[in-house]
Amino acid sequence: MPLSKDQIVPALVQLLGETGVVSEVGDMAGYVSEPRHRFHKQAQAVALPRTVAEVQAVMEWANEVGVHIIPQAGNTGLVGGQVPLFEDEVILSISRLKGVRNVDAAAGHMTLDAGTTLQEAHDIAEDAGMMFPLYIASQGSARIGGVLGSNAGGVQVLSYGNARELCLGVEAVMADGSIYKGLNALRKDNTGYDLKDLLVGSEGTLGIITAATLKLFPKPDAHETALLNVASPEAALELFAMMRARAGNTLTAFELMPRIGIDFQLKHGMMAQDPTAEMSDWYVLVEISVPKGGAAGGLSQAVESAFEAGLVSNGVIAETLSQREALWNAREQMSEVQSREGASIKHDVSVPVAAVPELIARGSEAAQKAVPGIRPVPFGHLGDGNIHFNFSQPEGADGMAFMDGADAVHDAVYAVVRDLGGSVSAEHGIGQLKTGLLKQVKDPVALKMMKAIKSALDPKGILNPGKVLG
Ligand SMILES: Cc1cc2nc3c(=O)[nH]c(=O)nc-3n(C[C@H](O)[C@H](O)[C@H](O)COP(=O)(O)OP(=O)(O)OC[C@H]3O[C@@H](n4cnc5c(N)ncnc54)[C@H](O)[C@@H]3O)c2cc1C
């Protein structure tokens, strides 16, 4: 018999005090609803531990009495992993576990409590004269525990890697309340299974990350940024290879955008004028980070060669910070502008980089067959093979009726992704949104291994039940 709310709340109050528990339905609103408002379930309570010992106490109790716990950090996840799936669950928010444990700029790492926001992590790194290079639009709210829990990506994965690659070690409270003390700063450690890598990206199903040691990098001296007109995704891919060959790891962003996204931004007043002098079917935003002591001007030389090679037909290189910001806005507004254009069906997918043009061509064609008039808006991290393959409703269509056909569009796109050897979730994870899909697409042996790990580390199924594995 699951415990009732009348049993759960007093038990939590005993562990965390009155101020450590939220239980009124109205007060829990900000915790049970996620950014896109797609998943709606009440929780029995929200636990707000202030210390790692309090997280342990809650988990020991939950494991003993069989109460399900949903780890939550900044609540910006896009697949519903951080909100309840069933109404008998308790959210454990790590938002009050904030702080700096250590910063070692010379050695290139810092250790932060998991409730620290990503923006705060950037500020802490900056104060030490360094950089933590994980940038996502939700960084003001997203917290280190959630960023690691979901293995977030962002716009500089190309050069620095995703959250997993930026993390050296974690501390985590496991389902039974025991603590995994893996906060090492070792760059090399071959002593068996990599438990840090297992916990990062586990979406709160294996343990609750309470602190992490993160890599720091020297701050670049300058950024050189351009928006370039290219004829097609194929030309963009060729340009990427050329830029990468010239700039190597200093090529920190290579983002693809279709003309339709620029048209939407002009139409909805998010952009005053065309960003380059001539219209183009496709654009890429390219950024090179110039290291301290490095030579400036590498981007304009590369762009000149690209013009000569016929890969680029027009473009603009930012000369001021505000011009750089305007170019980035054009990229970052791509998602929001789609909601102003009506309903949209979205896919966060990846394929081998060389297959991106084929993904876009075949995926667009397949979706247009499924829903005539549907408007493809594929954009994103071409350099990572990660495209946000979104589709806007046909002009003048009824948004609700359009969304009723979403499954046919998903099937069409995911079939192409699978055929190209890609992933159905590149950045955002599985959560509760894609559990059915995971079962269909994941290698059966991989699924068996994942289930074995889950039952070994959380035999009673206390942490985030039903998420990821279904
Ligand atoms: C506007 C916007 C832009 C975004 N852009 C990007 C992007 O560019 N790239 C990208 O990858 N994502 C992006 N996201 C998705 C989201 O912001 C990231 O996944 C983020 O890392 C989640 O962090 P969070 O603190 O909000 O975690 P939450 O949403 O609270 O949780 C996310 C997952 O992690 C688990 N979790 C939470 N805390 C812990 C913990 N302490 N230990 C273990 N597991 C935990 C949760 O159970 C859940 O499964 C975006 C979201 C929004 C709203």
Side-chain angles (χ1 to χ4, degrees):
M1 243 327 244
L3 292 193
S4 69
K5 183 164 182 161
D6 290 344
Q7 293 168 302
I8 288 173
V9 174
L12 284 173
V13 168
Q14 203 171 6
L15 295 171
L16 305 174
E18 292 281 351
T19 57
V21 186
V22 178
S23 57
E24 295 299 325
V25 170
D27 297 338
M28 289 194 288
Y31 298 94
V32 295
S33 178
E34 40 71 53
R36 290 181 183 159
H37 309 290
R38 268 181 301 191
F39 307 104
H40 306 280
K41 281 276 155 47
Q42 272 309 322
Q44 298 282 23
V46 178
L48 292 161
R50 272 158 295 225
T51 62
V52 176
E54 285 188 348
V55 179
Q56 287 189 269
V58 172
M59 289 315 301
E60 258 169 43
W61 164 80
N63 196 49
E64 198 180 304
V65 297
V67 167
H68 296 158
I69 299 289
I70 316 297
Q72 186 178 99
N75 192 13
T76 68
L78 296 174
V79 288
Q82 73 282 14
V83 289
L85 185 55
F86 308 104
E87 290 198 345
D88 59 354
E89 298 175 331
V90 167
I91 293 172
L92 187 150
S93 166
I94 52 138
S95 54
R96 297 211 284 189
L97 287 185
K98 279 166 81 121
V100 182
R101 296 203 191 173
N102 169 259
V103 181
D104 189 337
H109 55 78
M110 61 180 176
T111 301
L112 306 180
D113 289 320
T116 309
T117 67
L118 185 51
Q119 184 57 57
E120 288 164 345
H122 288 157
D123 297 344
I124 293 160
E126 185 121 335
D127 286 347
M130 300 293 279
M131 174 182 66
F132 180 60
L134 199 157
Y135 299 97
I136 54 181
S138 53
Q139 63 199 32
S141 308
R143 298 174 189 277
I144 295 304
V147 166
L148 292 172
S150 61
N151 186 26
V155 287
Q156 296 205 57
V157 171
L158 182 58
S159 181
Y160 297 102
N162 53 19
R164 181 176 279 127
E165 285 161 271
L166 293 170
C167 178
L168 290 167
V170 297
E171 173 191 271
V173 173
M174 307 309 288
D176 62 359
S178 59
I179 185 157
Y180 166 63
K181 293 183 179 165
L183 275 182
N184 69 58
L186 302 174
R187 307 259 165 179
K188 291 184 167 181
D189 176 19
N190 278 343
T191 52
Y193 308 136
D194 194 324
L195 302 174
K196 179 269 290 181
D197 274 0
L198 193 58
L199 286 159
V200 175
S202 63
E203 300 185 50
T205 60
L206 299 182
I208 301 178
I209 295 169
T210 48
T213 301
L214 305 167
K215 290 183 190 168
L216 291 173
F217 291 81
K219 262 186 356 185
D221 237 8
H223 294 105
E224 297 182 344
T225 312
L227 189 73
L228 305 172
N229 294 12
V230 291
S232 61
E234 285 81 359
L237 186 64
E238 241 183 281
L239 180 65
F240 171 65
M242 190 198 123
M243 291 278 176
R244 190 70 191 249
R246 291 181 76 112
N249 248 12
T250 65
L251 179 66
T252 42
F254 196 95
E255 300 283 311
L256 180 72
M257 288 182 277
R259 175 69 208 177
I260 190 171
I262 302 294
D263 285 338
F264 285 174
Q265 294 188 50
L266 290 165
K267 176 177 167 187
H268 296 286
M270 294 173 87
M271 188 183 274
Q273 61 187 54
D274 254 274
T276 61
E278 284 171 18
M279 282 170 55
S280 175
D281 286 345
W282 294 90
Y283 299 83
V284 288
L285 189 150
V286 187
E287 189 159 278
I288 287 180
S289 299
V290 185
K292 278 195 180 67
L299 182 62
S300 41
Q301 284 165 21
V303 169
E304 216 169 282
S305 304
F307 267 109
E308 280 163 17
L311 291 176
V312 169
S313 59
N314 205 299
V316 56
I317 298 183
E319 281 172 10
T320 61
L321 268 183
S322 66
Q323 280 175 359
R324 175 183 180 229
E325 214 168 280
L327 298 186
W328 271 109
N329 283 345
R331 160 64 183 87
E332 273 164 4
Q333 288 165 181
M334 290 293 298
S335 192
E336 192 197 327
V337 78
Q338 268 195 277
S339 52
R340 302 197 188 181
E341 185 61 20
S344 50
I345 300 172
K346 303 187 172 188
H347 309 87
D348 160 44
V349 296
S350 67
V351 292
V353 177
V356 168
E358 194 177 345
L359 167 73
I360 292 175
R362 285 175 56 191
S364 299
E365 196 187 328
Q368 278 159 334
K369 255 191 209 147
V371 179
I374 196 171
R375 291 174 293 168
V377 192
F379 66 93
H381 321 299
L382 183 140
D384 308 328
N386 172 200
I387 294 297
H388 298 301
F389 207 162
N390 297 353
F391 295 86
S392 282
Q393 63 177 67
E395 268 182 300
D398 174 70
M400 299 269 266
F402 172 65
M403 291 312 287
D404 285 344
D407 281 348
V409 179
H410 292 323
D411 290 349
V413 171
Y414 291 138
V416 178
V417 169
R418 290 173 68 184
D419 196 41
L420 294 173
S423 166
V424 296
S425 186
E427 282 199 316
H428 301 154
I430 300 299
Q432 49 180 303
L433 180 69
K434 292 185 176 172
T435 50
L437 183 63
L438 187 78
K439 281 187 196 140
Q440 286 169 37
V441 304
K442 196 87 180 171
D443 167 53
V445 176
L447 271 182
K448 204 170 140 194
M449 288 165 71
M450 286 165 72
K451 283 180 187 156
I453 291 166
K454 170 71 178 168
S455 48
L457 297 186
D458 181 12
K460 293 188 180 173
I462 296 296
L463 277 170
N464 233 352
K467 309 286 172 53
V468 183
L469 290 167

